[in-house]
Amino acid sequence: MDDGRRHERFACAPGLRLEAHEKLTQVHFDNIADRLGRLEEIMQRLEKRLWLTVYGVVAAILSQAFQSFIVTLP
């Protein structure tokens, strides 16, 4: 009975809704992944600033201690 013609896919409303929902979900996941990547970059920059601050405070304390030793030496 098949005369060699390929039948085209029938686009029905539920199928189109499902396809649109899948595309929308993919867009949402891509957006979330992008936001997560930007958030990770911001956290890395913040961590670098935090360590720079910690090292600065330690350097200030050590320089004051060294200064007090120099003052007390004859």
Side-chain angles (χ1 to χ4, degrees), residues 21-40:
H21 180 66
E22 288 173 350
K23 286 180 183 179
L24 185 62
T25 302
Q26 185 62 40
V27 168
H28 283 299
F29 279 127
D30 292 342
N31 190 16
I32 289 172
D34 183 45
R35 286 182 184 181
L36 183 61
R38 285 186 280 152
L39 185 60
E40 286 176 352

Side-chain angles (χ1 to χ4, degrees), residues 3-73:
D3 57 359
R5 288 185 287 171
R6 295 187 132 190
H7 296 285
E8 291 185 24
R9 225 180 212 179
F10 180 69
C12 61
L16 292 174
R17 263 181 58 194
L18 181 61
E19 184 179 331
H21 180 66
E22 288 173 350
K23 286 180 183 179
L24 185 62
T25 302
Q26 185 62 40
V27 168
H28 283 299
F29 279 127
D30 292 342
N31 190 16
I32 289 172
D34 183 45
R35 286 182 184 181
L36 183 61
R38 285 186 280 152
L39 185 60
E40 286 176 352
E41 289 176 11
I42 290 170
M43 287 176 58
Q44 287 177 351
R45 284 185 283 180
L46 183 62
E47 183 181 7
K48 287 178 185 178
R49 289 179 186 172
L50 177 65
W51 280 114
L52 185 61
T53 303
V54 168
Y55 289 140
V57 169
V58 169
I61 291 171
L62 288 176
S63 67
Q64 285 182 352
F66 183 69
Q67 220 173 17
S68 67
F69 284 135
I70 289 179
V71 169
T72 58
L73 289 177

